Amino acid sequence: MLVKVYGSAVFGVEATTITVEVNVATGIGYHLVGLPDNAVKESSFRIAAALQNNGYKFPGKKIIVNMAPADLRKEGSAYDLTFALGILAASDQIKAENISDYLIMGELSLDGSLKPIRGALPIAIKAKEEGFKGFILPMQNAKEAAIVKGLDVYGVDNILQVINFFNEGEALEKTIIDTREEFYKNLDHLEHDFADVKGQESIKRCMEIAAAGGHNIILIGPPGAGKTMLAKRLPSILPPMTLHEALETTKIHSVVGRIKDHVGLMSQRPFRSPHHTISDVALVGGGAYPQPGEISLSHNGVLFLDELPEFKRGVLEVMRQPLEDREVTISRAKFTVTYPSSFMLVASMNPSPSGFFNDPGGPASSSPGEMQRYLSKISGPLLDRIDIHIEVTPVPFDKLSEERKGESSMEIRERVTKARQLQTKRFESFENTHYNAQMSVKHIRQFCELNDSSKTLLKTAMERLNLSARAYDRILKVSRTIADIEASENIKDHHISEAIQYRSLDREGWLG
């Protein structure tokens, strides 16, 4: 007897429906075809034990299981439940007339209980598009899939529940969540707060400007100055995610199985902090069966690279194109996938190998040759994509010991959100530009006009401080953001002078 059951495979951040055809006939043997990987091939052992432990049997006949389309590679253990129900229905152990109305996915334990799967959200989106009546999956993934409106989602703990649903007509409980309520409930739950940071007022101001304009930022300072502490608090002052951004972000994290159990929509901006031993594939994504990398996992959030010069130069260079295009395309012989990667880059570094260059109270500094070798690990083209460079100095004891709390993240976030709203309105007629950091040369000429005194100030600064040509556009972008924070229509002299301060690495004496 032939039975068709439906599952799904995820490529990139999109799902493809897989038709699982199970044919049970006279003879002996189990044949699984349709380009399955080892995890899929091993499913027969898990299925046999799960059925036996729940009062059913793995038929001793000739079983052929075909996964169509047969030329697409299938991977993972999420097809166990699909196969098991197909085998039970094809061997007449259960009645399942309407099994083809449902998309069924889940990994089986030997006792028949279900373990979570990856990519539940993109699979649910595809199931709704293709008109399935419902989606049956492990309970741990049910909230994630229930984000999709117009699709009945059934979270189950055990294979017996699914068997009884088809065979006995026992009802399964639908998982229903109010997406908007779920989203707004956790929107203002901040893990870290700027109020915890003592002193460092100028750096906090710098972080506020970076958040308001979506600018990439690099923090330079000796060990223990607070670079990491400040970077970790940056997501708390970014504008809250929109529902669309939350869906995009959840989709990517769903593909790699990073959604916490029983969590629906991600409402906090991601903060990723990979170790400096990371490979280029782990950073941008890829592999034999491409997976999103750290830059895609930080989409709509922050990617923090601590100790930037310690990263391998080749790893940093592969970030140049995604930083510009805000997406990364990974090509393989048989297919190409594109992952979104619109993130804010925050980097930190010591100013020298010893860590104490420019720190009057620090121990003996490195030689100029060592300094140059250390700083030359970061290429000019990568620095070109970082708008703000700021020096972080250690906090003096009287600041550390004072009781007064600093300004909270929520207060700073309000100002940042207002500045972002101005930018959204300004760029509403441009498709791929939403905030100041994304401005092209054409936009800079249009929206960053300077009066004569501002032009003179910028010219003098570039000549005196020996600022490179690449600094010019960056200064204009940052000064536009400073003006937006003050709700000023035009860029004024003090906006330009403040922006000039944030180009430390362009000055003579830092990079040759």
Side-chain angles (χ1 to χ4, degrees), residues 14-283:
E14 303 299 328
T16 303
T17 300
I18 303 294
T19 306
V20 176
E21 301 171 321
V22 184
N23 191 67
V24 176
T26 313
I28 200 152
Y30 178 79
H31 307 281
L32 177 59
V33 294
L35 281 186
D37 74 350
N38 283 338
V40 182
K41 286 175 187 170
E42 289 167 355
S43 62
S44 60
F45 301 105
R46 293 190 293 271
I47 293 165
L51 293 182
Q52 193 178 355
N53 289 325
N54 285 279
Y56 292 86
K57 64 179 190 296
F58 196 88
K61 294 185 176 182
K62 186 178 181 181
I63 304 169
I64 299 172
V65 180
N66 178 42
M67 305 177 79
D71 61 343
L72 274 181
R73 181 83 180 170
K74 325 296 184 308
E75 56 177 357
S77 51
Y79 300 101
D80 293 0
L81 187 60
T82 325
F83 292 167
L85 286 161
I87 289 166
L88 286 173
S91 59
D92 275 337
Q93 294 184 65
I94 64 167
K95 297 193 296 287
E97 289 105 22
N98 60 340
I99 199 165
S100 58
D101 293 342
Y102 296 87
L103 200 140
I104 302 165
M105 296 289 282
E107 180 189 332
L108 282 171
S109 290
L110 299 188
D111 62 355
S113 60
L114 290 171
K115 292 187 172 179
I117 62 169
R118 291 179 175 191
L121 180 55
I123 292 170
I125 291 167
K126 190 69 177 174
K128 187 200 169 184
E129 276 175 21
E130 301 213 338
F132 282 97
K133 191 176 173 185
F135 181 17
I136 297 169
L137 77 168
M139 185 61 82
Q140 295 97 315
N141 300 111
K143 268 196 162 184
E144 187 186 326
I147 293 167
V148 180
K149 293 286 168 232
L151 177 74
D152 291 345
V153 172
Y154 303 98
V156 290
D157 294 310
N158 192 286
I159 189 173
L160 267 181
Q161 291 172 263
V162 191
I163 291 170
N164 293 339
F165 172 67
F166 287 114
N167 202 29
E168 312 286 338
E170 281 184 19
L172 286 175
E173 194 180 334
K174 281 185 203 172
T175 303
I176 298 167
I177 62 166
D178 185 330
T179 310
R180 289 183 178 278
E181 189 195 322
E182 186 88 1
F183 175 62
Y184 291 115
K185 184 173 68 181
N186 300 314
L187 208 54
D188 293 331
H189 173 71
L190 306 176
E191 193 179 346
H192 301 290
D193 199 307
F194 265 103
D196 307 330
V197 181
K198 304 279 188 183
Q200 303 290 27
E201 298 308 322
S202 61
I203 317 298
K204 286 182 196 171
R205 164 74 176 168
C206 211
M207 293 295 227
E208 182 182 332
I209 294 164
H215 302 288
N216 300 324
I217 181 171
I218 184 165
L219 307 168
I220 312 135
K227 302 185 295 294
T228 307
M229 188 182 189
L230 286 156
K232 280 185 176 172
R233 280 153 182 76
L234 183 60
S236 69
I237 62 168
L238 286 170
M241 280 211 281
T242 63
L243 203 51
H244 175 68
E245 285 177 330
L247 271 166
E248 265 188 342
T249 309
T250 307
K251 210 173 172 184
I252 297 164
H253 285 251
S254 172
V255 168
V256 289
R258 295 277 170 88
I259 304 284
K260 291 175 188 165
D261 286 359
H262 306 294
V263 169
L265 207 57
M266 287 177 66
S267 50
Q268 297 300 313
R269 290 189 180 274
F271 178 86
R272 306 292 301 176
S273 179
H275 192 257
H276 59 254
T277 53
I278 193 170
S279 70
D280 48 0
V281 170
L283 187 69

Side-chain angles (χ1 to χ4, degrees), residues 248-249 252 270 294-301 326 340-343:
E248 265 188 342
T249 309
I252 297 164
E294 289 292 335
I295 61 170
S296 296
L297 291 170
S298 53
H299 180 60
N300 291 324
R326 303 198 174 264
S341 60
S342 180
F343 59 90

Side-chain angles (χ1 to χ4, degrees), residues 311-436:
F311 283 79
K312 293 191 275 290
R313 187 170 176 133
V315 171
L316 296 177
E317 294 310 293
V318 293
M319 273 204 318
R320 279 156 56 172
Q321 179 257 337
L323 272 169
E324 206 68 39
D325 298 346
R326 303 198 174 264
E327 64 179 25
V328 59
T329 302
I330 298 156
S331 298
R332 293 291 174 266
K334 289 190 178 175
F335 55 88
T336 300
V337 294
T338 299
Y339 294 113
S341 60
S342 180
F343 59 90
M344 249 185 88
L345 174 65
V346 181
S348 78
M349 60 180 277
N350 296 327
S352 66
S354 67
F356 293 99
F357 176 73
N358 272 9
D359 181 12
S365 188
S366 309
S367 71
E370 285 176 318
M371 281 279 307
Q372 199 54 49
R373 272 196 303 277
Y374 185 69
L375 292 170
S376 66
K377 288 183 181 181
I378 310 162
S379 71
L382 181 66
L383 277 177
D384 196 14
R385 290 159 171 81
I386 300 176
D387 297 352
I388 298 175
H389 312 154
I390 187 74
E391 291 173 57
V392 184
T393 51
V395 183
F397 177 77
D398 58 332
K399 287 275 185 192
L400 278 173
S401 56
E402 70 177 17
E403 292 297 312
R404 186 176 63 86
K405 272 209 160 193
E407 197 175 18
S408 75
S409 288
M410 289 306 290
E411 292 171 90
I412 302 171
R413 186 195 250 191
E414 275 178 35
R415 293 197 296 271
V416 168
T417 307
K418 279 178 187 166
R420 280 281 181 106
Q421 283 165 353
L422 284 175
Q423 293 163 47
T424 305
K425 195 174 177 186
R426 179 183 302 135
F427 302 121
E428 63 189 352
S429 58
F430 301 99
E431 194 182 339
N432 296 317
T433 310
H434 306 290
Y435 42 86
N436 291 338

